[in-house]
Amino acid sequence: AQQVELRRSKVEVEREYHDELIEHRAKNFVGREDIISQIEEYVISNIHHSTKQSSPLLVAAAAGAGKSALMAHLTKFIQEKHM
């Protein structure tokens, strides 16, 4: 039997890495509804008005405050709700 070697592109490998990271960081995320609503509004506004120049989103907090978990949660939340 002939073996077929499947090769994933660098983009596919990177995408898989990010998907796994998002799952890991977001799985225990709770709370922060006020911040989630504000960022969701910002992101959706920029999606619907992609021709206007927007300001970058900056999330700043002390180390260990949950910035990565927040962004992972928001990524999943916005993908599930809006895409």
Side-chain angles (χ1 to χ4, degrees):
Q2 181 181 8
Q3 277 191 319
V4 177
E5 184 178 329
L6 299 176
R7 292 187 180 206
R8 298 179 300 157
S9 71
K10 290 180 180 180
V11 172
E12 291 170 323
V13 170
E14 187 74 14
R15 178 64 189 210
E16 183 178 303
Y17 168 78
H18 282 274
D19 289 344
E20 289 173 6
L21 180 65
I22 288 168
E23 286 298 321
H24 174 73
R25 295 287 177 129
K27 73 179 175 183
N28 295 319
F29 184 85
V30 293
R32 304 294 215 187
E33 285 82 14
D34 56 331
I35 295 171
I36 291 169
S37 294
Q38 290 175 17
I39 296 175
E40 177 188 14
E41 182 179 314
Y42 170 85
V43 170
I44 299 309
S45 172
N46 282 294
I47 288 172
H48 294 304
H49 300 99
S50 61
T51 57
K52 75 172 188 173
Q53 188 172 2
S54 62
S55 302
L57 173 67
L58 174 65
V59 177
K67 299 176 297 292
S68 295
L70 170 67
M71 296 311 293
H73 173 78
L74 277 160
T75 299
K76 286 184 65 168
F77 176 78
I78 290 171
Q79 285 175 341
E80 291 169 359
K81 187 173 178 182
H82 297 284
M83 299 188 171

